């Protein structure tokens, strides 16, 4: 049963409504905040849903304020949902590093103390929040797509690959494609899940593909000037995994773009249109 929803703010934009909402989450045992843009539509019409998962240190606000997606969502009739990246609050464990703890949930269900009590972002994104969106918004939950940036690109890829048939298309900006093979992954998955790297495989896009997961419609944009590309993101590993599995992925190296929202906002409207084509089919 979906929980009650509190409206924090709503604004008219591009003919639709951009809102920010709060609810008490069972998954994280905290209050969670997320944003939703609902385009103008006829009464009784259910619209497809595009999820955007944000990266390290971000909240819902980063893409909501910087993403430049609303005009495209209004044009194509797509609801845009932007969750937070982790549970938050005074009683929630945290870490002094920017890439672990609050703001860095990595879209996993933590099993290690002290994180296991609250850090269940996998369950929150895969189950709890979709039920809430379906109950409170004019959403057609049979037509969903997912995208994300950096840590959120990792989330979009792994959630999409683990849930075949739920998402008609998956895209990502500068994703962490293989946490098994980068320092961010070592810290996050080791801290949240423990030392058994076999368990980590269900949170690694390349490993999921190697283990048989498949996707029909995949688009990845990666900037060539991204300072995290070689050490953390390693886009070439995803390209190799897709080639080996004969997945027809569109992986684009965008010349001169970095890891920032200047990059995301340059291509996010294009991603919305790409997802919309698959959501209409």
């Amino acid at each position: 049963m979906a929980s009650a929803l509190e409206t924090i703010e709503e604004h008219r934009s591009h003919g639709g409504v951009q809102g920010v909402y709060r609810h008490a989450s069972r998954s994280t045992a905290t209050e969670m905040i997320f944003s939703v843009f609902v385009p103008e539509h006829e009464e009784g019409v259910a619209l497809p849903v595009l999820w955007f998962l944000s990266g390290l240190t971000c909240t819902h606000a980063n893409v909501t304020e910087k993403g430049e997606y609303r005009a495209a969502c209004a044009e194509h009739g797509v609801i845009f949902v932007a969750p937070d990246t982790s549970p938050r609050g005074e009683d929630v464990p945290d870490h002094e590093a920017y890439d672990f703890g609050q703001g860095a949930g990595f879209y996993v269900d933590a099993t290690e103390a002290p994180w296991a009590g609250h850090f269940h972002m996998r369950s929150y994104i895969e189950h709890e929040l979709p039920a809430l969106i379906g109950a409170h918004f004019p959403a057609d939950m049979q037509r969903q797509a997912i995208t994300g940036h950096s840590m959120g690109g990792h989330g979009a890829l792994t959630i999409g690959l683990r849930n075949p048939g739920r998402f008609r298309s998956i895209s990502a900006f500068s994703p962490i494609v293989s946490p098994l093979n980068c320092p961010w992954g070592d810290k996050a998955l080791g801290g949240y899940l423990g030392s058994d790297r076999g368990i980590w495989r269900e949170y690694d896009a390349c490993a999921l593909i190697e283990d048989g997961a498949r996707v029909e419609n995949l688009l990845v944009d990666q900037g060539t000037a991204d300072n995290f590309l070689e050490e953390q993101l390693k886009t070439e590993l995803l390209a190799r995994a897709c080639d080996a599995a004969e997945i027809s992925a569109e992986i684009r190296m965008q010349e001169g773009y970095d890891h920032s929202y200047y990059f995301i906002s340059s291509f996010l409207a294009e991603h919305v249109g790409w997802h919309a084509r698959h959501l209409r089919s």
Side-chain angles (χ1 to χ4, degrees), residues 41-65:
H41 61 285
E42 295 182 4
E43 186 175 353
V45 172
L47 303 176
V49 177
L50 175 59
W51 298 84
F52 184 95
L53 305 184
S54 293
L56 288 166
T57 76
C58 292
T59 71
H60 70 281
N62 296 75
V63 71
T64 305
E65 296 170 3

Side-chain angles (χ1 to χ4, degrees), residues 132-169:
L132 195 71
I133 297 299
H136 291 279
F137 297 91
D140 181 354
M141 302 307 286
Q142 299 304 309
R143 292 187 292 159
Q144 297 185 66
I146 192 166
T147 187
H149 170 235
S150 193
M151 179 186 72
H154 142 77
L157 292 172
T158 55
I159 290 170
L161 287 163
R162 284 197 307 263
N163 292 274
R166 177 180 294 188
F167 303 100
R168 297 194 181 183
S169 49

